[in-house]
Amino acid sequence: MKQILIATHGKMASGIRYTAELIVGKMAEITTIDAYVTPEDNVEKKFEEYFAQHENDRIFVFTDIMGGSVNQKLLGYSQKENVTLITGTNLPVLMQVMMADDDVTEEEIQEFIDDAREELQVVDLGGGKKSTAGKHDAESIAQGEKITAQSAAPDVEKSAPKKAPAPQSYDNSTAKITALRVDDRLIHGQVAMTWTKQLAVQGIVVANDEAANDNTQKMALKMAVPGGIKSLIKPVDEAIRILNNPKASRMRILVLTRTVKDALKIRQSVGEIGFLNVGNTGRFDGIDVSEKLVLTPTIMLTKAEQQALKELVALDPKACMQQVPNDEQKLVKDVLDKLN
């Protein structure tokens, strides 16, 4: 069985575990040792007890500093065949190991580390020499385009509103979408690290009018897209047009909206959605929570959003509520029925 031990100076161990599980869920057996928090802290004894308890398990040990005393005390244990010691720990590597199979190899872990090194960057939206934000090709669904910090920076001419295309009818749409998720943060850790893998997506389409017309938001969202996955950030109507392109139906695409209302509009305009998920919505719209129906701590609905959700469920009774893949999946229909 795979075991993860995080051992650091101070409370970094428990802190990074909390953050990792917040993003990807509880996906592994994790033990944390916050070393030297108190003067009488006997770190050596804690290590001895831990390894004695897990001598038959596959153990991945994460420490903070290569030359630190915590890592030094664990070097002897790293000689065991069932132990892999990883130092200079950061969040992306930890989450990758958490999500990996029990038989993940050290070669695969080295690939996780190499990928994480690329994510350590100075972010410069001005497009100067410091910027490395264009390291991944953020290709469009229909055609490739490289998004750099400079090309995504605000530009009066480029940012001018485009003339809206003529209204189209999608009543008989045959478009197929792999998944549609309502998430008020759009592309973030939970989406990038868990849902893209769970759904094996090849592309992400963000359908949101505000984000599509804000170059800074677009830049930030594209930086969160995992390497090898194509992405588009478009107004809702334009996203619907793209999703009805036959080429889109041949790809595994995850569509993200901030609101249930936008998700409903998309659902009404495509023929089939494999997985419809309400994850997070209504937390950052500026409307007081007292005016909303709180279904979960991350799903808060105005009256208009409540009505949209009822219509969405009528179209797709299998729509579910789930933050990360490891969470319990609840049918929205069942939750709404209990409220009536």
Side-chain angles (χ1 to χ4, degrees):
M1 182 178 181
K2 181 174 70 178
Q3 297 284 340
I4 293 177
L5 170 64
I6 310 172
T8 67
H9 297 76
K11 297 183 179 180
M12 176 183 172
S14 55
I16 198 170
R17 173 185 178 175
Y18 176 86
T19 302
E21 291 184 338
L22 180 68
I23 294 173
V24 303
K26 296 182 179 180
M27 305 187 73
E29 292 295 324
I30 300 177
T31 300
T32 58
I33 295 179
D34 294 326
Y36 312 125
V37 174
T38 61
E40 61 274 9
D41 202 357
N42 191 335
V43 177
E44 291 90 343
K45 183 178 180 181
K46 290 180 180 179
F47 290 158
E48 289 176 8
E49 292 174 349
Y50 177 84
F51 286 99
Q53 181 181 353
H54 298 289
E55 60 182 356
N56 296 319
D57 293 322
R58 180 73 173 94
I59 303 172
F60 298 90
V61 183
F62 289 84
T63 66
D64 47 3
I65 304 173
M66 169 77 80
S69 60
V70 174
N71 192 67
Q72 292 177 29
K73 294 179 189 301
L74 286 163
L75 287 175
Y77 295 103
S78 70
Q79 303 303 309
K80 296 177 178 288
E81 290 187 2
N82 65 323
V83 177
T84 296
L85 177 60
I86 304 158
T87 192
T89 299
N90 72 359
L91 191 59
V93 175
L94 174 60
M95 292 191 296
Q96 290 279 21
V97 174
M98 287 171 64
M99 294 186 292
D101 294 334
D102 287 0
D103 58 354
V104 60
T105 65
E106 293 192 358
E107 289 75 17
E108 290 172 318
I109 293 175
Q110 187 59 54
E111 291 180 9
F112 299 158
I113 293 171
D114 293 340
D115 290 341
R117 285 197 181 106
E118 291 188 18
E119 293 189 25
L120 186 62
Q121 304 176 21
V122 173
V123 178
D124 176 20
L125 295 183
K129 292 182 179 179
K130 295 187 297 182
S131 176
T132 54
K135 70 182 179 70
H136 293 305
D137 279 352
E139 297 176 26
S140 71
I141 299 302
Q143 61 183 8
E145 59 175 358
K146 191 167 184 178
I147 306 298
T148 64
Q150 188 169 8
S151 66
D155 183 284
V156 174
E157 184 177 347
K158 292 180 182 178
S159 300
K162 296 180 180 178
K163 185 177 179 181
Q168 298 184 47
S169 173
Y170 298 102
D171 292 343
N172 299 311
S173 172
T174 59
K176 296 180 181 180
I177 298 174
T178 302
L180 170 61
R181 174 175 167 88
V182 181
D183 194 319
D184 50 20
R185 289 184 289 173
L186 299 174
I187 308 174
H188 58 101
Q190 290 175 349
V191 171
M193 295 297 298
T194 64
W195 285 113
T196 57
K197 292 179 173 62
Q198 176 74 14
L199 299 168
V201 300
Q202 298 166 295
I204 295 174
V205 174
V206 171
N208 182 262
D209 294 353
E210 179 188 0
N213 291 295
D214 184 323
N215 282 307
T216 301
Q217 282 194 58
K218 288 171 69 174
M219 178 68 186
L221 291 170
K222 284 186 176 291
M223 289 175 66
V225 178
I229 294 180
K230 300 176 181 180
S231 66
L232 281 177
I233 302 170
K234 296 293 183 182
V236 176
D237 289 341
E238 190 172 347
I240 290 171
R241 179 182 61 79
I242 291 168
L243 293 170
N244 276 277
N245 184 319
K247 292 181 180 179
S249 293
R250 294 196 289 268
M251 294 182 65
R252 294 189 61 81
I253 294 175
L254 168 62
V255 182
L256 299 168
T257 70
R258 275 201 173 118
T259 67
V260 179
K261 181 181 177 182
D262 286 346
L264 173 62
K265 189 172 185 179
I266 291 171
R267 183 63 190 90
Q268 291 169 332
S269 304
V270 299
E272 182 181 331
I273 294 178
F275 177 68
L276 204 163
N277 169 237
V278 181
N280 312 291
T281 188
R283 297 174 296 171
F284 312 121
D285 56 10
I287 300 174
D288 193 276
V289 69
S290 64
E291 300 178 30
K292 298 177 180 179
L293 171 65
V294 179
L295 293 184
T296 74
T298 65
I299 300 176
M300 307 175 184
L301 306 173
T302 62
K303 289 184 178 180
E305 285 284 274
Q306 292 173 46
Q307 181 59 38
L309 187 60
K310 291 176 182 177
E311 294 180 36
L312 187 62
V313 170
L315 289 172
D316 197 330
K318 293 184 179 180
C320 69
M321 294 164 48
Q322 192 177 25
Q323 272 196 291
V324 293
N326 268 23
D327 286 350
E328 178 187 0
Q329 192 177 102
K330 297 180 180 179
L331 291 179
V332 177
K333 180 180 181 299
D334 292 345
V335 175
L336 293 179
D337 286 345
K338 290 180 181 179
L339 297 175
N340 296 330

